[in-house]
Amino acid sequence: MKRAGQKVVAGTEAPGTSQTSKKQKTSLHGSGFGESDPCTSMDWGSLPHHVILRVFQFLTLVDRARASSVCRRWNEVFHIPDLWRRFEFELSQPATSYLKSTHPDLIQQIIKRHADHLQYVSFKVDSSTESAEAACDILSQLVNCSIKTLGLISTAKPSFMNVSKAHFASALTVVFVNSKSLSSIKIDDTPLDDPSLKVLVANNSDTLKLLKMSSCPHVSPAGILCVADQCHGLKELALNYYILSDELLLALSSEKHVDLEHLRIDVVSENPGQVQFHTIKKQSWDALVKHSPKVNIVMYFFLYEDEFDAFFREETPVTHLYFGRAVSKAMLGRIGMNCPRLIELVVCANGLQPLDDELIQIAERCKNLTAMGLGECEVTCRGFIEFVKMCGGRLTQLSIMEEVLIPDSDYSLDRLHLEVSKHLGRMWFPDMMPTW
């Protein structure tokens, strides 16, 4: 029952609530109509330079230019050298590309005012020759620069490969000669040649630490050997297998060199049956690992099954293996026998014969294996569980499509989930689509 004299009104303030506390609530939880909002009354022009600079670094070039017209203070920040140390030029043909191209007028403004500030520069181009040639034209104008990092990124082939070798080499030479402190270069799929590498070495041998130059058909083993002989601080290197040699590995293993941390090798065949791959001696691999015991040796294979004859017949210190095309059971058997340092293995495809024995041998002999991915392959549930049991909790990544697993009399797919999860020490299910 309600007591006499009392009214119950929804939303009524408790007795004793002062007008002051009401104002506090208003300021904390939002203002009513007609009251000023602290955010809208803030003077954005009075923000510290370092705050505005941080905001500008997240903006695209066009938005950055628009923001610079807000006030004098923002315009001052727009011209601070720190804002122009890192920049990505985007070059594309509007009719054929999804990329947003950097406006030519803005590019010329950057070159005119900030070329000497640029240190970390990349060019992202579409597949058109016109975009690649435009990138070379910009490179040719960077005569006052001192670039530390250079990246030429093609979103699709052929791009830079369609530029004349003379035009590309001339543009690159400008950067190599004027930048005396280049430490990182990524120039995959370009007409880079041996003379250009010699210019690079002559001007940046003391600073170069990272060189990625896969798919550069105009570079010879002698050209990359020149880099290895002179650039003693080299820590990361990516190249095609055809320019890998015993001499190169021995050069990287000399006392003058710092420890190599990462070696990536792309083994690619565009014309099946027409390429004879050479063999690298075990002694050369051993010399590299002795000199750089923690080096990651990563190999990407895009070969056909009958082209693997030269590989893994002797012990090879590879740590990461990726097979982008079908690989035979015999080849996987060799990996189990001769790749004791293996950490990660990805097999995109195999024939229609179960890989039980090969996986079990890999688990038994590759004690460092922590990541496995299987695509269009076949493994019995019993064989797969045995593989997981032998690897145990050290398998931090296990990406298998459910279609790979063949149920048998011992294990259904439902029971397999539980068994694998038990041995991994975490919940596991096959992937609908592998994550690698």
Side-chain angles (χ1 to χ4, degrees):
M1 288 181 63
K2 297 178 183 177
R3 293 184 181 180
Q6 276 192 332
K7 293 184 180 180
V8 180
V9 181
T12 304
E13 296 288 342
T17 303
S18 66
Q19 292 297 318
T20 303
S21 63
K22 289 182 181 180
K23 289 181 180 179
Q24 288 174 343
K25 282 188 177 183
T26 301
S27 63
L28 286 171
H29 301 292
S31 56
F33 291 110
E35 295 182 11
S36 61
D37 188 337
C39 292
T40 59
S41 62
M42 181 181 294
D43 182 6
W44 292 94
S46 65
L47 287 173
H49 269 59
H50 73 276
V51 174
I52 304 172
L53 178 64
R54 186 63 175 157
V55 172
F56 271 39
Q57 287 171 339
F58 286 98
L59 298 178
T60 64
L61 179 59
V62 173
D63 289 338
R64 199 183 286 180
R66 288 171 179 163
S68 69
S69 63
V70 169
C71 63
R72 181 179 299 175
R73 187 178 183 84
W74 284 30
N75 189 263
E76 290 173 358
V77 174
F78 182 71
H79 295 290
I80 291 177
D82 282 350
L83 187 61
W84 302 100
R85 299 198 193 285
R86 188 182 301 273
F87 194 76
E88 180 180 88
F89 295 93
E90 292 185 299
L91 303 165
S92 63
Q93 304 306 304
T96 58
S97 177
Y98 65 90
L99 289 178
K100 291 183 178 179
S101 189
T102 308
H103 196 281
D105 292 343
L106 290 176
I107 290 174
Q108 290 306 313
Q109 182 181 1
I110 293 167
I111 293 172
K112 182 179 179 180
R113 297 190 178 188
H114 303 293
D116 55 339
H117 304 145
L118 293 171
Q119 293 184 0
Y120 309 94
V121 180
S122 62
F123 292 80
K124 181 184 285 185
V125 303
D126 60 10
S127 60
S128 67
T129 304
E130 293 83 357
S131 298
E133 288 177 339
C136 291
D137 291 339
I138 297 170
L139 282 170
S140 299
Q141 299 176 60
L142 300 181
V143 293
N144 298 319
C145 64
S146 184
I147 294 175
K148 293 182 178 180
T149 298
L150 174 66
L152 302 181
I153 304 164
S154 298
T155 57
K157 293 181 180 180
S159 193
F160 286 103
M161 290 305 300
N162 273 2
V163 177
S164 75
K165 189 169 72 169
H167 186 196
F168 183 82
S170 174
L172 210 56
T173 297
V174 170
V175 177
F176 288 172
V177 169
N178 290 282
S179 299
K180 303 296 184 181
S181 57
L182 270 168
S183 63
S184 175
I185 307 173
K186 185 181 185 298
I187 41 180
D188 295 335
D189 299 302
T190 65
L192 177 74
D193 57 12
D194 289 357
S196 300
L197 284 179
K198 290 181 180 178
V199 174
L200 168 67
V201 169
N203 292 277
N204 301 275
S205 61
D206 293 335
T207 58
L208 190 63
K209 294 180 179 180
L210 183 151
L211 177 60
K212 294 184 177 181
M213 43 170 283
S214 296
S215 301
C216 295
H218 302 299
V219 173
S220 72
I224 188 63
L225 185 59
C226 171
V227 175
D229 279 335
Q230 301 298 321
C231 300
H232 300 146
L234 203 62
K235 286 183 171 291
E236 295 190 35
L237 179 62
L239 68 164
N240 270 81
Y241 185 81
Y242 76 89
I243 54 177
L244 183 71
S245 65
D246 294 293
E247 292 78 13
L248 173 61
L249 293 180
L250 293 174
L252 293 170
S253 308
S254 71
E255 292 183 1
K256 297 178 182 178
H257 269 278
V258 300
D259 290 351
L260 193 68
E261 295 177 357
H262 193 90
L263 174 62
R264 169 174 168 159
I265 306 157
D266 290 349
V267 192
V268 182
S269 170
E270 300 293 346
N271 301 306
Q274 298 183 19
V275 178
Q276 186 71 34
F277 290 96
H278 61 284
T279 301
I280 301 296
K281 296 176 182 176
K282 181 179 181 299
Q283 297 94 307
S284 304
W285 287 119
D286 290 345
L288 178 66
V289 174
K290 182 178 180 180
H291 180 264
S292 304
K294 295 182 179 180
V295 63
N296 284 320
I297 300 174
V298 183
M299 297 185 76
Y300 283 79
F301 282 89
F302 293 90
L303 302 182
Y304 295 89
E305 284 196 28
D306 58 351
E307 296 178 313
F308 282 100
D309 189 62
F311 302 98
F312 307 119
R313 290 197 169 274
E314 293 186 298
E315 188 172 298
T316 308
V318 64
T319 56
H320 299 72
L321 270 176
Y322 304 91
F323 292 97
R325 293 177 185 155
V327 58
S328 67
K329 283 171 62 70
M331 185 63 180
L332 291 173
R334 278 193 240 163
I335 290 169
M337 289 292 294
N338 294 316
C339 300
R341 296 180 79 238
L342 191 64
I343 295 172
E344 183 170 6
L345 174 63
V346 174
V347 180
C348 289
N350 177 257
L352 298 179
Q353 295 177 296
L355 300 177
D356 298 21
D357 294 340
E358 289 73 22
L359 290 183
I360 290 170
Q361 183 169 272
I362 288 171
E364 184 178 25
R365 297 179 64 91
C366 303
K367 302 296 186 182
N368 298 315
L369 188 72
T370 59
M372 168 69 79
L374 293 179
E376 297 178 12
C377 306
E378 286 194 352
V379 183
T380 68
C381 288
R382 184 191 301 107
F384 182 63
I385 288 174
E386 184 63 24
F387 164 77
V388 174
K389 187 188 301 183
M390 294 177 71
C391 291
R394 62 186 168 94
L395 274 178
T396 57
Q397 185 174 352
L398 185 60
S399 186
I400 311 290
M401 290 193 297
E402 189 167 293
E403 291 83 354
V404 170
L405 301 164
I406 306 171
D408 49 46
S409 58
D410 293 333
Y411 296 99
S412 65
L413 288 176
D414 289 338
R415 187 182 170 198
L416 178 135
H417 300 165
L418 296 174
E419 283 292 318
V420 173
S421 298
K422 179 179 70 175
H423 293 298
L424 291 179
R426 65 182 187 277
M427 189 60 69
W428 179 88
F429 290 97
D431 300 307
M432 291 297 292
M433 182 63 68
T435 54
W436 28 266

